[in-house]
Amino acid sequence: MTYRWSLGWILLFACSGMAAELEVEVKAPDSRPLAHAVVYLLSDAPLPPVKPGTVAEMDQIKKQFKPHILVVQKDTQIVFPNSDSIKHHVYSFSPAKTFELQLYKEKQPALPFDTPGQVELGCNVHDWMLGYIYVVDTPYFAQTDASGVARIEAPAGNYRLYLRHPRIQDAPEALETPLQLGEKTRHRFVLQQPLLPSLQSFEEDTDEFSGYE
Amino acid sequence: MKPLFTAALLICLPVQAAQLSGVVQTALVSADDSHSWQNDGTGLLRHDDNGIALEQSLIRLEQTLNTDFSLDIVANYHADGEQHLGLTQALLQYKPLSAGTVKFKARAGFFYPQMSLENLDTGWLSPYHYTQSAINSWLGEELRIAGLEMSLYSPGRQRRSPWSWELYVGAFRGNDPLGTLISWRGLALHDRQSLHNDRVEFAPYPSVVDPSRINHPDWVEPFHEIDGKTGGYAGLHLSYFQRFELRYYFYDNRANPLAVNAQRLYAWHTRFHSLATSYQLTAETKFIAQWMQGDTEMGPRGVEADFDAWYLLLTHHIAQHRLSLRLDRFMVREDDIWPWDYNDSDGRALTLSWRYDLSSQWQLGLEQHFNQSTVVNRATVGENMDTEQNQTLAIVQFRW
């Protein structure tokens, strides 16, 4: 079965062209690069599903979600380890995944994330904790680095390119664009609306005793 | 009351998860000569014997009952004092998951209002010093909420704001003798939290114990309800990221100062404001301060005293080391109609400690404490009103 699927995908890629690279740059209105932004490609043609058994990790370290933003392909399993010695109580009310998990030292089973969209995470013990999971229905995704650049490798062809980040306020239609992916393609998003405040300072190193728990 | 009733039912249900933790501290003490208030003396420190002492031993059980409810119980064993084994906190917490930016939570049971920014470690211990500030030594020995606390709170990050706030209101009973110790003995400096059933001794001041005067025992059991009236408090927490925090509380036990029980313990009408702040100067260095001002009244203005105390604390944490320095100032001033009962006292203290984490479980510590105090009541038991005290503690701590 797996071989038959693989053969099918190989044939599909052969039809749509050789592997190509897309470089996406994301700039805020003040021309500063936006790091950790999620970019991904969707296509009218069927795209390869996630490899069965794919597991991603959203850790809790020093009373923060690590990473702050995680992007996974639809149907990925996500495990929530607890690297702290105290309890966490992770929850989400987002339509893409509504759940809660009480996290102790013992490892919890992974949860499936099977609906595309943004999942906002909180902790009911540590109210300042905030994290995001973007579930995308494509294997062609990446996150921008500190210079605001992300690279996606995908077969050449016609796609729509999407951009997501929790601080972006631009209208959704400004965050997607049709894209013909050639051997070396570049795209730049320049945001028009100011970004929401970073609030990165909630993750500053503080004294380990920072409040009643 | 419905959540409380639900909670009571839930306690009977199978439990999901429990966390058991504990702290034991053993001290090598170089004590001051002055006798401790615990041994009928007028000294302001817990120890008055050189040698090995049990500084702390406590077990904490945190039990998750379901998504919304959890139990938090702290039991302590003290080798010193009148009672040795008991609870210092036992509470049921209700904190439902909520998608809103303004949320609700509540606590019921026997607990501390969260006034202090000093007592942040397990079991309300201070991670900074062993000998706690005068303010929180007093809260630890005489104040506890046996009641219900409700809170509205708004975590800033969920509103995309650096500012978070929390509002608290509480109602309680069983804290009527609050004020006894500071009016006669004065404020002290220690880490012995009273147990739920505890009795705290002090020197037999003649004006207090004389049957022809106040005729009060030379001890107090702080957690009694004497007049049947409910007390209350309100608090506001404000924080900017996790860098700066401000906590203001107003407490009033609304006691009837004329009420007295069969043990001759009075209800003391005690009110105070508490303002605490902490500021993270760098990732390693934090500044903490607290100021408290209030008054207490017993009898027909037989004792009426104003109290005022503050401390400044600087703590620096680098690698496995923590150095903390605290300066305390505290005073009680009387304004009452019994000239033969003395309540004036004032003092200052300096406490320097070094704590070193050998591992996540073992910690070594050294503390040097110095205080200087004037307590007018000392003269009535034939002691000098002015005293200076020195204490050195070397501590081994184990936690799990």
Side-chain angles (χ1 to χ4, degrees), chain B residues 90 95 107:
Chain B
K95 194 178 183 194
R107 300 190 295 163

Side-chain angles (χ1 to χ4, degrees), chain B residues 130-381:
Chain B
Y130 305 105
T131 304
Q132 298 183 3
S133 66
I135 291 174
N136 292 312
S137 298
W138 177 51
L139 298 186
E141 64 188 351
E142 268 202 325
L143 186 141
R144 222 60 54 86
I145 301 302
L148 175 69
E149 176 190 85
M150 292 183 289
S151 169
L152 285 177
Y153 68 107
S154 182
R157 203 169 184 188
Q158 290 175 15
R159 284 181 284 110
R160 294 227 150 257
S161 163
W163 292 95
S164 305
W165 57 262
E166 303 185 28
L167 273 174
Y168 291 88
V169 289
F172 59 89
R173 293 206 169 189
N175 207 185
D176 286 341
L178 177 76
T180 310
L181 287 169
I182 60 169
S183 299
W184 286 324
R185 179 204 61 190
L187 284 144
L189 298 117
H190 63 93
D191 59 349
R192 190 189 183 284
Q193 299 173 58
S194 294
L195 308 169
H196 73 282
N197 53 349
D198 226 333
R199 171 179 289 188
V200 185
E201 301 257 337
F202 52 86
Y205 302 109
S207 65
V208 177
V209 298
D210 191 332
S212 63
R213 293 297 193 184
I214 302 173
N215 193 20
H216 186 288
D218 55 353
W219 45 261
V220 61
E221 293 174 354
F223 309 126
H224 275 293
E225 180 55 47
I226 293 170
D227 62 4
K229 287 175 72 179
T230 302
Y233 64 94
L236 169 68
H237 297 189
L238 200 61
S239 58
Y240 181 76
F241 291 120
Q242 297 195 77
R243 206 178 299 162
F244 166 77
E245 179 144 22
L246 191 73
R247 294 182 180 183
Y248 166 75
Y249 277 80
F250 176 68
Y251 171 102
D252 185 348
N253 69 0
R254 299 180 63 250
N256 170 9
L258 300 179
V260 59
N261 72 5
Q263 298 167 292
R264 298 283 309 157
L265 293 178
Y266 273 82
W268 295 63
H269 181 202
T270 301
R271 304 173 293 185
F272 63 81
H273 304 273
S274 168
L275 186 66
T277 188
S278 73
Y279 187 75
Q280 193 79 40
L281 298 163
T282 67
E284 295 83 26
T285 311
K286 186 157 83 167
F287 168 76
I288 303 171
Q290 190 171 359
W291 172 60
M292 181 179 277
Q293 189 178 57
D295 57 21
T296 184
E297 183 187 4
M298 178 277 259
R301 267 194 77 210
V303 177
E304 184 164 310
D306 298 329
F307 51 91
D308 196 321
W310 53 258
Y311 68 82
L312 307 174
L313 191 161
L314 197 63
T315 181
H316 184 71
H317 190 225
I318 188 157
Q320 274 69 50
H321 302 266
R322 179 185 287 286
L323 275 171
S324 305
L325 177 70
R326 193 188 65 237
L327 178 68
D328 275 272
R329 184 84 177 89
F330 44 95
M331 65 178 73
V332 180
R333 287 279 173 274
E334 67 175 322
D335 176 23
D336 56 39
I337 58 171
W338 289 341
W340 38 264
D341 178 63
Y342 302 101
N343 312 110
D344 281 359
S345 64
D346 71 78
R348 62 195 73 206
L350 193 67
T351 313
L352 176 65
S353 75
W354 165 74
R355 295 172 81 150
Y356 175 66
D357 289 321
L358 288 167
S359 68
S360 59
Q361 293 192 306
W362 291 94
Q363 187 190 63
L364 299 178
L366 273 176
E367 180 183 273
Q368 181 61 45
H369 171 89
F370 170 77
N371 76 56
Q372 201 179 36
S373 66
T374 302
V375 180
V376 176
N377 231 351
R378 284 184 183 136
T380 68
V381 289

Side-chain angles (χ1 to χ4, degrees), chain B residues 6-241:
Chain B
T6 314
L9 282 177
L10 286 170
I11 293 170
C12 307
L13 296 176
V15 293
Q16 288 183 2
Q19 286 179 291
L20 202 61
S21 54
V23 179
V24 176
Q25 293 175 353
T26 306
L28 179 63
V29 184
S30 170
D32 193 81
D33 293 338
S34 308
H35 276 172
S36 168
W37 78 92
Q38 298 200 93
N39 298 322
D40 294 344
T42 63
L44 304 185
L45 297 175
R46 178 177 179 180
H47 302 290
D48 50 18
D49 265 338
N50 292 327
I52 305 279
L54 181 66
E55 193 73 19
Q56 295 292 341
S57 62
L58 63 89
I59 288 182
R60 179 185 187 191
L61 171 71
E62 294 162 274
Q63 177 76 62
T64 302
L65 300 173
N66 64 12
T67 298
D68 301 339
F69 286 96
S70 59
L71 276 176
D72 195 346
I73 297 170
V74 183
N76 296 53
Y77 172 78
H78 296 314
D80 55 352
E82 294 303 297
Q83 293 293 329
H84 301 296
L85 189 62
L87 301 175
T88 49
Q89 298 178 69
L91 64 101
L92 178 70
Q93 172 155 297
Y94 174 64
K95 194 178 183 194
L97 288 175
S98 159
T101 53
V102 177
K103 304 165 191 268
F104 174 81
K105 61 183 174 181
R107 300 190 295 163
F110 183 69
F111 55 89
Y112 291 98
Q114 299 176 82
M115 297 176 187
S116 165
L117 285 163
E118 179 186 23
N119 302 74
L120 305 180
D121 205 350
T122 306
W124 210 71
L125 300 182
S126 166
Y128 311 114
H129 296 97
Y130 305 105
T131 304
Q132 298 183 3
S133 66
I135 291 174
N136 292 312
S137 298
W138 177 51
L139 298 186
E141 64 188 351
E142 268 202 325
L143 186 141
R144 222 60 54 86
I145 301 302
L148 175 69
E149 176 190 85
M150 292 183 289
S151 169
L152 285 177
Y153 68 107
S154 182
R157 203 169 184 188
Q158 290 175 15
R159 284 181 284 110
R160 294 227 150 257
S161 163
W163 292 95
S164 305
W165 57 262
E166 303 185 28
L167 273 174
Y168 291 88
V169 289
F172 59 89
R173 293 206 169 189
N175 207 185
D176 286 341
L178 177 76
T180 310
L181 287 169
I182 60 169
S183 299
W184 286 324
R185 179 204 61 190
L187 284 144
L189 298 117
H190 63 93
D191 59 349
R192 190 189 183 284
Q193 299 173 58
S194 294
L195 308 169
H196 73 282
N197 53 349
D198 226 333
R199 171 179 289 188
V200 185
E201 301 257 337
F202 52 86
Y205 302 109
S207 65
V208 177
V209 298
D210 191 332
S212 63
R213 293 297 193 184
I214 302 173
N215 193 20
H216 186 288
D218 55 353
W219 45 261
V220 61
E221 293 174 354
F223 309 126
H224 275 293
E225 180 55 47
I226 293 170
D227 62 4
K229 287 175 72 179
T230 302
Y233 64 94
L236 169 68
H237 297 189
L238 200 61
S239 58
Y240 181 76
F241 291 120

